[in-house]
Amino acid sequence: MADHLARLRDDGIAKRLVHEGRGPLPDYCDGTKATFHYRTLLSDGEHRMLDDSRARGKPMELIVGKKFKLPVWETILTTMREGEQAEFLCDTKHVVLYPLVAKSLRNIAAGKDPLEGQRHCCGIAQMHEHHSLGYPDLDELQQNPQPLIFAIDMLKVEAPGSYQQDPWAMTDEEKMQAVPLIHEEGNALYRQGKVTEAAAKYYDAIACLKNLQMKEQPGSPDWIQLDLKITPLLLNYCQCKLLCEEYYEVLDHCSSILNKYEDNVKAYFKRGKAHAAVWNIAEAQADFAKVLALDPSLGSVVAKELRSLEARLRQKDDEDKIRFKGIFSQ
């Protein structure tokens, strides 16, 4: 233990043990998964807090050897036992990239696309390329780098092969191999009526392919092949979102598909249902008409949707009449 602390101090990291862990120190070979909660605090006199994973309701996960963008986290985590709580004061040199990492983690916690804003350049280049990160406290830290304190609560340490690997931690080859399996897991969950869980699986599979697609030239044969794999997954995802009544997300995704593939019947049909749900009547009718033009065999299905739309319109008109009658009779 003394050796670990000495090595940390020599590297500009001071560790303070808050609560002893249990068992021996794990081996932490490449592929080991650490699950932990963290708080990030400024090293000023007030110890103002920047981030708290508990407030977001989900712990952080890190795979050793996967070159996480903040290497110091791997350094400090690999000194901890399960159940241990400790604070680490890290010199500025170790935390220069923290504002970028924190921005990504905050965006993910807020439900934004984790691939949003990624570019083919390193973290330092991204820091200089953009004036603001979108978070005033991170902007201030980026402009005035300083040592940070990480308060870590190590929840669980899992050896390689003892857990299901998350898509973000996979190699390119592992991603390609995993997509069909994740797709089928999503289908199985959907058949069981577990729509939210199915959507999460489809999202993971899409994220794998999007990550690979970013490495290809847009419009190239490889890029197109990946896009053709993404499209059915995205349509499955949209079906889940329809059932979850998240209609505007369906509109966005289906429109993005139709901007590239003008003859995609399923995209028109799902977008039509979403338009109908949010009372975009003309747009819904136009999309259903396009479905019929592309595939006349779906006439009975489209007729059912149009009857349902007309029934909802009549009901809405009746409700409006009653409401307005009450207003004018007062």
Side-chain angles (χ1 to χ4, degrees):
M1 183 65 177
D3 291 342
H4 283 299
L5 294 177
R7 284 197 293 271
L8 288 177
R9 280 196 302 270
D10 290 343
D11 198 23
I13 302 169
K15 178 177 180 178
R16 184 177 76 87
L17 185 64
V18 176
H19 179 76
E20 289 275 3
R22 56 184 177 271
L25 183 69
D27 180 49
Y28 285 112
C29 61
D30 284 355
T32 301
K33 180 178 178 180
T35 303
F36 59 99
H37 275 298
Y38 71 93
R39 288 181 297 124
T40 305
L41 305 101
L42 296 175
S43 59
D44 56 13
E46 300 177 2
H47 285 186
R48 287 179 293 154
M49 186 162 63
L50 292 174
D51 293 289
D52 182 357
S53 62
R54 289 190 185 279
R56 298 169 186 163
K58 185 178 181 181
M60 180 71 183
E61 296 175 349
L62 185 145
I63 308 280
V64 175
K66 288 292 184 179
K67 297 182 179 179
F68 186 66
K69 286 188 176 181
L70 199 65
V72 72
W73 271 11
E74 183 171 315
T75 300
I76 63 179
L77 290 171
T78 53
T79 70
M80 299 182 70
R81 295 170 169 81
E82 277 195 354
E84 181 178 326
Q85 297 174 8
E87 292 182 354
F88 299 85
L89 173 60
C90 302
D91 281 355
T92 304
K93 66 180 182 180
H94 292 297
V95 296
V96 172
L97 288 179
Y98 183 79
L100 278 174
V101 173
K103 173 188 175 180
S104 296
L105 295 175
R106 291 181 187 186
N107 284 348
I108 292 170
K112 297 180 181 179
D113 187 347
L115 302 177
E116 184 179 274
Q118 287 190 7
R119 298 173 184 268
H120 294 280
C121 58
C122 68
I124 294 292
Q126 289 186 40
M127 290 177 68
H128 291 293
E129 184 179 355
H130 304 290
H131 177 68
S132 174
L133 295 171
Y135 299 96
D137 56 346
L138 298 181
D139 287 337
E140 181 183 352
L141 181 60
Q142 180 173 294
Q143 293 163 11
N144 303 287
Q146 60 179 280
L148 294 177
I149 298 170
F150 298 114
I152 307 293
D153 181 359
M154 181 63 76
L155 303 177
K156 184 167 56 175
V157 179
E158 299 171 272
S162 66
Y163 61 89
Q164 183 172 355
Q165 198 170 18
D166 292 322
W168 59 265
M170 297 176 183
T171 64
D172 288 354
E173 184 179 354
E174 288 170 339
K175 288 185 178 77
M176 283 300 293
Q177 293 173 349
V179 165
L181 300 177
I182 301 173
H183 190 169
E184 183 49 44
E185 288 174 0
N187 291 346
L189 289 166
Y190 184 85
R191 289 192 293 267
Q192 296 168 23
K194 298 178 180 179
V195 177
T196 302
E197 294 87 342
K201 288 294 183 181
Y202 296 137
Y203 184 87
D204 283 347
I206 292 166
C208 285
L209 293 171
K210 284 277 191 182
N211 184 273
L212 295 171
Q213 192 182 43
M214 287 175 60
K215 301 174 183 179
E216 305 295 341
Q217 180 68 30
S220 69
D222 287 340
W223 188 96
I224 292 172
Q225 284 301 313
L226 288 167
D227 207 57
L228 292 173
K229 293 179 184 294
I230 290 169
T231 299
L233 285 162
L234 190 53
L235 287 169
N236 287 359
Y237 180 78
C238 286
Q239 178 61 29
C240 294
K241 291 301 176 179
L242 275 176
L243 295 175
C244 293
E245 300 183 356
E246 297 180 33
Y247 303 118
Y248 289 101
E249 188 168 359
V250 176
L251 293 175
D252 286 343
H253 288 311
C254 287
S255 294
S256 72
I257 291 172
L258 291 168
N259 284 337
K260 293 178 287 186
Y261 308 107
E262 297 178 354
D263 59 348
N264 193 297
V265 176
K266 291 183 177 180
Y268 277 115
F269 185 75
K270 295 181 195 302
R271 193 175 72 173
K273 286 174 70 72
H275 274 310
V278 297
W279 301 105
N280 296 336
I281 307 305
E283 291 86 348
Q285 291 171 336
D287 278 348
F288 288 138
K290 191 70 175 179
V291 171
L292 278 178
L294 290 170
D295 190 350
S297 69
L298 295 175
S300 61
V301 177
V302 170
K304 180 180 177 181
E305 293 295 330
L306 291 173
R307 286 196 299 271
S308 174
L309 178 57
E310 290 168 1
R312 289 175 59 232
L313 283 171
R314 286 195 298 270
Q315 181 181 356
K316 185 174 184 295
D317 287 342
D318 291 342
E319 291 171 353
D320 288 344
K321 289 176 183 177
I322 294 172
R323 184 166 62 252
F324 291 139
K325 181 179 179 181
I327 292 173
F328 293 121
S329 64
Q330 292 178 357

